[in-house]
Amino acid sequence: MKAKRWIFGACLMGSSLLVGCGNTGGDDSSSGAGGATSAYGDAPYEALQTVAEERNLTPDDLVAAAKTFMPSGRHDEYMMFASGGHGGQMIVIGVPSMRILKIIGVFTPEPWQGYGYGVGQDILASGKVNGKDILWGDTHHPALSETAGDYDGQFVFINDKANARIAVIDLRDFETKQIVKNPISLSDHGGTMVTPNTDYIIEGGQYGHPLGWDYAPMDEYVEKYRGMVTIWKFDRKAGRIDESQSFALELPPYWQDLFDAGKLVSEGWIFGNSFNTELATGGVESGAPPFEAGASQRDNDYMHVINLDKAVELFKAGRVDLIKDFPVLSLDTLIEEGVLYFIPEPKSPHGIDVTPDGAFMVVSGKLDPHVTVYSFDKIMATIAAKNWEPDQFGVPVLDFDSCVEAQIEVGLGPLHTQFDNLGYAYTSLFLEPSVARWSLGGEAGTKNPEADWTMVGKVPVQYNVGHIAVAEGDTVSPDGKYLVSMNKWAIDRFAPVGPLLPQNFQLVDIAETGDTMRVIYDMPIGMGEPHYAQIIKADKLKPWDVYPEVGWNPETQSVRLDYARQGKERIERNGTTVDIYMTAVRSHFTPEHVEVNEGDLVRWHITNVERAYDATHGLAIPGYNTNLSLEPGEAQTLEFVADKPGVYPFYCSEFCSALHLEMMGYFLVKPAE
Ligand code: CUK
Ligand code: CUA
């Protein structure tokens, strides 16, 4: 037998790798997974072997393929919500198949969903900055809504680092419902993270600047520049952030990086990390150290420990200053009332992650090969003992040794940490690049065979990993099983597509204990630079098949008052305002002729009156930058001035039926005399 005939070799040795290989006849019970008759007749395993040989696949390749292959019609066990980076969207991906299911327009117009071309216009407009339309965002951290610390599948939030905005996406229809602009900050990064019952959404700042966007010269950095964290109140019933119940905390102008919310024992507290406690202000052109050196001089930066419950109390008691009409708890108030504490953390950290039991906070310094684990109990004891020294702003800096539980050497360039169901933590190592697995201590440490707080193993990834995401990894009870490594560099992984390469999401099988971790899939992400993602059990999501009622307005999640009804289609003129009431159903628009005069204000109300699953229609109007996606039941209103005379064939942009091409009409704009 030739060495490459390994499949049957394994089979003959009694391996259970190939189910039923001893009987490849027509017997349903043994001719393959699910017992179906094979399309390859009575020799499916020979066919598999031929493929393996022709394509030079190893047995490991075949196992990886089997683990990630999703047969037609079968659904993934998990769904991943990944940021779209500077593409400004959110990407929904099935796990383990890594198939893209949807790209949700968030800060960026998305024509396929009609988002920003009629529908969503108001939502995008609410994200204006200084009255300017900002039609992109740099999305970093999605956060699924939680109930009692567990993803509940109702909402997902995401930040825009570039403009300090937060978006709310409703998972009943997977559409963006709200964009909130931070009134005092131009830059955010430590968002979004939610508290265990999604009462609050956390948005930390990033680069220090005068709060409220005022001007101050760089040499007034220490006096005038500030950091911040904003606490947005989420109204779950309304499905919206309630800006009137939201507030911010003034922080020193260290660059706040990421935040995480306490849970279980640490619920009511939030934790952040920072870099540039050097207060470097750059200026390489005039001989000052460049930022990357200036901000990396000290051995320590400061972890931020914030008593959120107390901050909320102070806000409710009115202990705030107003900056641009937004309530802010001043640094002095935070210090006076014992809301804010710092703890030294190793050099230039990136990321902070609270363990599932809420007992430990994990920080890693990009320039330090360790992860540092802080104990919540010890932090509380250190605060109670007043074991601190003030920093230059007067914030108590707690004694490092009294707060630290463990330091574990994991490797070069540690960034972000995730947790699983086996009592392991995983830390991305940007420089190696690989993902390290290490064992937790405390309660969680009893779930795996290793000693507490020890390095267990590593899996190399390709290449330069940023965040990692474990299934249900940010909850109080992670599922483990799968980890996705979000790699910044792809170099040789995919066929070249010019100098701009896709990012590489690698799926890692982490179901076994010890140092066994296997990369089982490479997925190119050809849009934006996804930073973080969260992975939820798919059966927690209960999206609508069709909108609950005909005439539905997805922006408000309620029926429109004056939607276009079937049988009541019409065109109404009132002076120079023309209201068009139109319906769409397979395979026609009613009415099909719409004539207005040059200069008329057109209000085009259109309803998809279908009740059939997936019977979506579009409305594309040439020359007017318009495309709607009308899901079954959806009603929309477009408004524009008919400023250019002509004949505009409008049409349905979703291939909805055999007569879809005929689903069109004429919009005529008659020239003024
Ligand atoms: S960040 Cu991009 S890899 Cu914005 Cu959370 Cu770390
Ligand atoms: Cu309706 Cu195509």
Side-chain angles (χ1 to χ4, degrees), residues 324-337:
K324 292 274 145 75
D325 291 331
F326 194 69
V328 179
L329 292 168
S330 73
L331 195 46
D332 289 344
T333 304
L334 300 180
I335 296 167
E336 204 178 296
E337 297 291 340

Side-chain angles (χ1 to χ4, degrees), residues 112 126 138 383 432 612:
W112 166 64
S126 69
D138 186 6
I383 291 174
E432 297 209 3

